[in-house]
PDB file of all heavy atoms in Angstrom:
ATOM      1  N   LEU Z 365    -160.946  -9.422 213.104  1.00 98.00           N
ATOM      2  CA  LEU Z 365    -160.250 -10.706 212.926  1.00 98.00           C
ATOM      3  C   LEU Z 365    -158.857 -10.731 213.560  1.00 98.00           C
ATOM      4  O   LEU Z 365    -158.320 -11.815 213.801  1.00 98.00           O
ATOM      5  CB  LEU Z 365    -160.123 -11.027 211.430  1.00 98.00           C
ATOM      6  CG  LEU Z 365    -161.417 -11.488 210.746  1.00 98.00           C
ATOM      7  CD1 LEU Z 365    -161.214 -11.610 209.235  1.00 98.00           C
ATOM      8  CD2 LEU Z 365    -161.867 -12.849 211.318  1.00 98.00           C
ATOM      9  N   THR Z 366    -158.280  -9.578 213.815  1.00 98.00           N
ATOM     10  CA  THR Z 366    -156.875  -9.555 214.211  1.00 98.00           C
ATOM     11  C   THR Z 366    -156.597 -10.404 215.459  1.00 98.00           C
ATOM     12  O   THR Z 366    -155.787 -11.350 215.405  1.00 98.00           O
ATOM     13  CB  THR Z 366    -156.401  -8.099 214.424  1.00 98.00           C
ATOM     14  OG1 THR Z 366    -156.448  -7.448 213.159  1.00 98.00           O
ATOM     15  CG2 THR Z 366    -154.980  -8.050 214.954  1.00 98.00           C
ATOM     16  N   LEU Z 367    -157.273 -10.105 216.557  1.00 97.00           N
ATOM     17  CA  LEU Z 367    -156.932 -10.831 217.786  1.00 97.00           C
ATOM     18  C   LEU Z 367    -157.345 -12.304 217.737  1.00 97.00           C
ATOM     19  O   LEU Z 367    -156.528 -13.182 218.044  1.00 97.00           O
ATOM     20  CB  LEU Z 367    -157.525 -10.133 219.005  1.00 97.00           C
ATOM     21  CG  LEU Z 367    -156.831  -8.804 219.332  1.00 97.00           C
ATOM     22  CD1 LEU Z 367    -157.457  -8.145 220.552  1.00 97.00           C
ATOM     23  CD2 LEU Z 367    -155.332  -9.015 219.544  1.00 97.00           C
ATOM     24  N   PRO Z 368    -158.573 -12.599 217.292  1.00 96.00           N
ATOM     25  CA  PRO Z 368    -158.935 -14.033 217.209  1.00 96.00           C
ATOM     26  C   PRO Z 368    -158.006 -14.815 216.281  1.00 96.00           C
ATOM     27  O   PRO Z 368    -157.595 -15.939 216.608  1.00 96.00           O
ATOM     28  CB  PRO Z 368    -160.358 -14.024 216.660  1.00 96.00           C
ATOM     29  CG  PRO Z 368    -160.873 -12.650 216.900  1.00 96.00           C
ATOM     30  CD  PRO Z 368    -159.718 -11.734 216.986  1.00 96.00           C
ATOM     31  N   CYS Z 369    -157.633 -14.245 215.156  1.00 96.00           N
ATOM     32  CA  CYS Z 369    -156.735 -14.976 214.241  1.00 96.00           C
ATOM     33  C   CYS Z 369    -155.380 -15.173 214.905  1.00 96.00           C
ATOM     34  O   CYS Z 369    -154.799 -16.264 214.851  1.00 96.00           O
ATOM     35  CB  CYS Z 369    -156.529 -14.211 212.933  1.00 96.00           C
ATOM     36  SG  CYS Z 369    -157.905 -14.346 211.814  1.00 96.00           S
ATOM     37  N   ALA Z 370    -154.869 -14.122 215.523  1.00 94.00           N
ATOM     38  CA  ALA Z 370    -153.558 -14.233 216.157  1.00 94.00           C
ATOM     39  C   ALA Z 370    -153.598 -15.323 217.230  1.00 94.00           C
ATOM     40  O   ALA Z 370    -152.692 -16.171 217.320  1.00 94.00           O
ATOM     41  CB  ALA Z 370    -153.153 -12.895 216.752  1.00 94.00           C
ATOM     42  N   ALA Z 371    -154.673 -15.329 218.015  1.00 93.00           N
ATOM     43  CA  ALA Z 371    -154.767 -16.321 219.098  1.00 93.00           C
ATOM     44  C   ALA Z 371    -154.835 -17.731 218.527  1.00 93.00           C
ATOM     45  O   ALA Z 371    -154.117 -18.644 218.976  1.00 93.00           O
ATOM     46  CB  ALA Z 371    -156.004 -16.029 219.947  1.00 93.00           C
ATOM     47  N   GLN Z 372    -155.666 -17.918 217.520  1.00 89.00           N
ATOM     48  CA  GLN Z 372    -155.798 -19.247 216.911  1.00 89.00           C
ATOM     49  C   GLN Z 372    -154.479 -19.698 216.288  1.00 89.00           C
ATOM     50  O   GLN Z 372    -154.086 -20.854 216.409  1.00 89.00           O
ATOM     51  CB  GLN Z 372    -156.864 -19.213 215.815  1.00 89.00           C
ATOM     52  CG  GLN Z 372    -158.276 -19.083 216.321  1.00 89.00           C
ATOM     53  CD  GLN Z 372    -158.771 -20.419 216.856  1.00 89.00           C
ATOM     54  OE1 GLN Z 372    -158.255 -21.465 216.491  1.00 89.00           O
ATOM     55  NE2 GLN Z 372    -159.737 -20.375 217.749  1.00 89.00           N
ATOM     56  N   LEU Z 373    -153.830 -18.764 215.621  1.00 84.00           N
ATOM     57  CA  LEU Z 373    -152.607 -19.146 214.922  1.00 84.00           C
ATOM     58  C   LEU Z 373    -151.498 -19.482 215.910  1.00 84.00           C
ATOM     59  O   LEU Z 373    -150.657 -20.341 215.642  1.00 84.00           O
ATOM     60  CB  LEU Z 373    -152.164 -18.012 213.983  1.00 84.00           C
ATOM     61  CG  LEU Z 373    -153.067 -17.825 212.762  1.00 84.00           C
ATOM     62  CD1 LEU Z 373    -152.703 -16.563 211.998  1.00 84.00           C
ATOM     63  CD2 LEU Z 373    -152.977 -19.022 211.819  1.00 84.00           C
ATOM     64  N   HIS Z 374    -151.505 -18.822 217.071  1.00 82.00           N
ATOM     65  CA  HIS Z 374    -150.482 -19.176 218.055  1.00 82.00           C
ATOM     66  C   HIS Z 374    -150.752 -20.561 218.623  1.00 82.00           C
ATOM     67  O   HIS Z 374    -149.835 -21.296 218.973  1.00 82.00           O
ATOM     68  CB  HIS Z 374    -150.421 -18.129 219.165  1.00 82.00           C
ATOM     69  CG  HIS Z 374    -149.764 -16.867 218.683  1.00 82.00           C
ATOM     70  ND1 HIS Z 374    -148.506 -16.856 218.132  1.00 82.00           N
ATOM     71  CD2 HIS Z 374    -150.207 -15.589 218.625  1.00 82.00           C
ATOM     72  CE1 HIS Z 374    -148.199 -15.625 217.766  1.00 82.00           C
ATOM     73  NE2 HIS Z 374    -149.222 -14.841 218.034  1.00 82.00           N
TER      74      HIS Z 374
END
Side-chain angles (χ1 to χ4, degrees):
Chain Z
L365 286 173
T366 294
L367 289 180
C369 283
Q372 289 283 338
L373 289 171
H374 286 304

